[in-house]
Amino acid sequence: MARSDTGVGNGAGSQPPARTAMAKQPSEQAHATDTLARGTLIAAALCVFMAQFALTVPAGLNGLFQQDFHTSASELTWITDAFLVPVTVLELTFGLLGDLFGRRRLLVGGSVLVAVGFVVCVLTPGPEADHMTRLIVLWTGQIIAGIGAAAVIPTTLAMIAAGTRTPRARARSISVWAAALSMGSVLSPLACGLLAQSQFGSWPNSGWRWAFLLVVALAAVSAVLAYVLAEDSKSPEGRSLDWPGQITIAVAAVALLFAVIQGPTSGWGSVEVIGGFTVAAVFLVAFVLAERRSASPLLQLDLFANRNFTIAAIVTVVGMFCYLGTGYVTSIRLTAIQGFTPLKASLAFIVFNGVSALIQVPIASRLIERYDPKWILGGGLLLIGAGDFWMASIPIGHQSVTPLIAPLVVAGAGVAFVLSAVTAVVINTVPHNLSGMAAGWTSLLRDFGFTLGPAVVGAIALSRASREISDEVGSDPQLGQALDTFNASAATVPEGQQEAVEGAIVAVNSGPLGANAVPSTVTLPDGSTVPFNPLKDTAFQALGSAYSLGYLIVGLCAVAAAVVTVALIGGHRPDSPDESDGPDAPVTPATTDV
C-alpha cells in the first residue's frame, strides 16, 4: 500500500481518501464484498489451523525433547522459538509479496514450506549422533517451517481484510479465523500425545517424530485446497520491497530474543547476552531511520502518532505474551517437571484451548458486533490474569492435571475474547483507509508476543530455579558433598556403564531441567535401588516454585494490559462509519502490510 496523505488519527482529523484511489485497486475492489467468498474463508481457516497446529506441536512434547536430546534450558526454548522467530520477523515482507504477486500463491507456497521443514525435523539423526548436530537439524527444520508459517498466518488475515467491507462482516470472518486458529491449538496436543506413544524406529523417546509427520500431511492438504478454493487478491500499486526495513527489524528481533533466551544459560552479564541486547537496540534505531526514508515502508511510523493505535499495539504484544506464556508454563510444568506423558498432558491443552474455541464464534463474535471490542479485550485479559493467579497457587507437589482444569477453563475463556477482539481493537483505532496496514501490524505484534512468551517466562523462571538450587547447595554441606561424590562417580563404575553415568552427570550440571530429568535412584540388576542424582528433589521443588512465579508474572501482565485497554483506548461503536469518509462513503478496500 502506498503512503497515505491523509494522516493518522482517530478519524475525525483525517482527510477523506481520494475516491480516485479506489479505482486504482481493481483486484481488491473485485473481492471486497459484504460477505467473504466461502471458498476463500474455508482456505484461510484451514491454512491458519494448520499453521497454528504446527506452532503448538512442541507444547505437549517438551518432556520428550528433554529426554531425547538432553537439552539445556535455552536449547529447549529454542525448539519452540526456532519456529516462532521467522514468523515474527518475516510477516511484513510476505504481506508485501502477497500485495505484489497474489496472496493465494503465498498460502500454497507457505504450506509447502511448512511440510518441507517438518520433513527435515523427522530426519533428525538418532541418539548415536553428536548432540549439537541433532539439535541443529531439528532447529533448521523448525526455521524452514516457521518461514512457511510466516507466509501463511498473516496472508489468511489479509485475505479477510481485503475481502470484507464492513466492520460487522469483518468481525464475523475474523471470528471464524480465530476459531480455526484456536482449534489448531486444541487438536495439536491431543493428536501429538496419541502419536507420541508409538516409538519411531528403534530409537527411544522418538515418538515426537510421528507428530511432525502428521503436520506434513496437514500442510500438503492445505496447499492443495488453498490452490483450489481460495480467490486470489493483491494490491501491487505503489508497493515495493523494503529491504533495509526488513533486514534491520529482523536482526533487531533475533538479537533481542537470543539475548533473552540465552540469559539464564550464559549469564545476564555475559558478553553474548549484553551484545545481543546492544545489537537489538542499534538495529531497532536503524529500522526507524530506514522507514522514515523509504518510499514504500513496511510500517508507516505516523501510525504511532495515534495514541489509540500505539496503546492497542502494546496491549496486543502483552496479550499474546500472556496467551502463549500461560501455555508454555503449563507445558513445562506437566511434561518437563512432573514428567507426564504427552497424552496425559494434552488434557490440559484441550481444556485451555477448547474452551477458547467453543466461546469464540457463538459468544465472542456476537459481543464484538454489539459492543466496543475494547471491553471484550479488557475482560478477556482479566480472565487470563485470574486463571494464572489461580494456577500460581497450586503447589508442584500435586502430581495431577486435575487441579489445573478449573483455572485453565477461566484462562481459556479469556483467551477466546482476547483472540477475537485484539485485531478488531487495533483496526478500529485507525481510519478505514489504513485498516490493511493496521491488520498487518496486528499479525506481527501478535506473533512477537507469542515469541516473547516462552523466551521471557522461561528465562525468568529458569534463572530463579538456578539461583534456588545454587543457594540450597551452598547452604547444605551434606547436599554439596553428595553432589561432589556424584560428579566423580563415573570413574568408579564398571567400564560399560561409564558413558551413561557421564551423560547423567552432564545433564545434572546443565541446569534445573537437566537436574530434574535424571532420577534420584537407580535400580540394580538384583532389584535393589541405590541413590544416584542428589539434586533431583531440590531441582523439582525449585522448578515448581520458579514456574509458579511464571504464572504470577503472566497474570500481572494480563491485569495491567486490561487496565490500560479500558482506561486509555478511546471508544468506538462496531458499525460506526469512519468520520473521515462520511456516513455514505464506501469503505476503502483493505490492503495489508502483513
Side-chain angles (χ1 to χ4, degrees):
M1 166 175 159
R3 274 186 180 273
S4 170
D5 294 324
T6 61
V8 178
N10 296 331
S14 302
Q15 297 298 319
R19 301 298 177 90
T20 56
M22 296 178 61
K24 296 181 179 179
Q25 301 180 29
S27 55
E28 296 289 6
Q29 184 66 35
H31 297 286
T33 57
D34 289 333
T35 303
L36 189 66
R38 181 174 297 180
T40 300
L41 183 57
I42 291 173
L46 176 61
C47 286
V48 80
F49 166 84
M50 177 275 298
Q52 186 67 16
F53 189 103
L55 183 153
T56 313
V57 162
L61 301 178
N62 278 313
L64 275 183
F65 291 141
Q66 172 69 32
Q67 295 168 28
D68 191 7
F69 293 90
H70 305 293
T71 57
S72 68
S74 61
E75 289 169 350
L76 186 62
T77 302
W78 273 116
I79 293 177
T80 297
D81 274 351
F83 185 100
L84 287 169
V85 168
V87 172
T88 302
V89 302
L90 294 176
E91 280 186 314
L92 295 180
T93 289
F94 276 120
L96 188 149
L97 292 174
D99 281 347
L100 291 174
F101 304 112
R103 296 178 182 120
R104 183 172 62 183
R105 293 183 181 182
L106 286 188
L107 283 191
V108 175
S111 298
V112 170
L113 272 181
V114 172
V116 170
F118 274 73
V119 167
V120 172
C121 292
V122 173
L123 296 177
T124 299
E128 69 280 357
D130 177 71
H131 170 75
M132 281 309 301
T133 299
R134 301 184 69 213
L135 280 174
I136 289 171
V137 173
L138 181 63
W139 289 337
T140 299
Q142 283 283 78
I143 290 169
I144 294 171
I147 294 171
V152 168
I153 296 175
T155 300
T156 56
L157 186 57
M159 281 184 158
I160 290 173
T164 52
R165 296 188 64 200
T166 66
R168 182 180 297 274
R170 186 172 296 148
R172 290 172 179 169
S173 296
I174 286 175
S175 293
V176 173
W177 176 89
L181 182 146
S182 289
M183 286 306 298
S185 298
V186 172
L187 297 180
S188 180
L190 175 60
C192 293
L194 288 169
L195 292 171
Q197 295 182 103
S198 302
Q199 184 169 302
F200 189 96
S202 60
W203 297 322
N205 305 312
S206 61
W208 59 267
R209 298 171 194 261
W210 292 114
F212 281 72
L213 281 175
L214 176 59
V215 177
V216 172
L218 281 174
V221 171
S222 297
V224 172
L225 292 184
Y227 180 79
V228 173
L229 296 179
E231 292 185 4
D232 202 9
S233 63
K234 59 183 178 179
S235 180
E237 293 79 10
R239 305 292 279 145
S240 61
L241 289 172
D242 177 20
W243 287 116
Q246 178 61 77
I247 292 171
T248 51
I249 193 62
V251 173
V254 171
L256 173 63
L257 292 167
F258 170 82
V260 171
I261 294 172
Q262 198 63 28
T265 300
S266 300
W268 295 104
S270 63
V271 173
E272 57 263 44
V273 172
I274 293 176
F277 284 122
T278 302
V279 170
V282 170
F283 275 84
L284 184 59
V285 172
F287 170 73
V288 172
L289 296 176
E291 295 307 275
R292 290 195 177 279
R293 296 182 178 184
S294 176
S296 181
L298 289 173
L299 172 66
Q300 285 191 23
L301 296 177
D302 290 344
L303 279 173
F304 289 99
N306 178 349
R307 189 196 70 174
N308 280 349
F309 177 82
T310 301
I311 295 171
I314 294 171
V315 168
T316 297
V317 174
V318 176
M320 297 305 99
F321 163 84
C322 294
Y323 172 28
L324 208 62
T326 300
Y328 184 74
V329 174
T330 303
S331 169
I332 296 298
R333 176 188 171 113
L334 295 177
T335 62
I337 301 176
Q338 294 184 322
F340 293 146
T341 64
L343 182 59
K344 188 172 183 179
S346 70
L347 174 61
F349 299 103
I350 292 171
V351 171
F352 181 48
N353 294 303
V355 169
S356 175
L358 290 174
I359 288 177
Q360 275 179 309
V361 173
I363 299 177
S365 173
R366 294 179 183 274
L367 291 176
I368 291 172
E369 291 178 19
R370 296 181 182 180
Y371 304 102
D372 186 340
K374 80 169 187 177
W375 296 105
I376 315 303
L377 176 58
L381 288 164
L382 287 177
L383 286 174
I384 294 176
D388 277 288
F389 291 148
W390 191 346
M391 287 183 280
S393 69
I394 300 173
I396 195 68
H398 285 282
Q399 292 274 17
S400 171
V401 178
T402 304
L404 296 177
I405 298 300
L408 284 171
V409 168
V410 174
V415 168
F417 295 119
V418 170
L419 284 176
S420 294
V422 69
T423 301
V425 167
V426 175
I427 291 177
N428 286 346
T429 61
V430 300
H432 283 302
N433 64 299
L434 294 177
S435 61
M437 181 171 281
W441 273 82
T442 301
S443 291
L444 184 143
L445 294 168
R446 182 188 64 246
D447 292 316
F448 185 64
F450 282 161
T451 308
L452 284 178
V456 173
V457 176
I460 294 174
L462 289 167
S463 294
R464 167 75 174 268
S466 295
R467 192 162 55 250
E468 287 191 15
I469 293 172
S470 178
D471 291 345
E472 184 69 19
V473 171
S475 63
D476 186 342
Q478 186 175 357
L479 179 60
Q481 183 178 2
L483 181 59
D484 291 338
T485 301
F486 170 76
N487 288 335
S489 62
T492 62
V493 299
E495 185 176 348
Q497 300 175 12
Q498 283 184 347
E499 184 176 353
V501 172
E502 288 172 354
I505 292 171
V506 171
V508 168
N509 289 277
S510 67
L513 290 175
N516 181 68
V518 176
S520 59
T521 61
V522 294
T523 302
L524 299 178
D526 62 3
S528 62
T529 59
V530 295
F532 189 53
N533 172 19
L535 284 187
K536 168 68 177 179
D537 292 338
T538 301
F540 180 80
Q541 294 298 329
L543 285 167
S545 172
Y547 277 91
S548 290
L549 174 64
Y551 279 129
L552 185 62
I553 291 170
V554 172
L556 289 170
C557 289
V559 171
V563 172
V564 169
T565 297
V566 173
L568 299 182
I569 295 179
H572 181 95
R573 291 183 59 83
D575 279 328
S576 62
D578 192 323
E579 296 174 20
S580 65
D581 290 341
D584 300 319
V587 176
T588 303
T591 57
T592 181
D593 278 39
V594 257

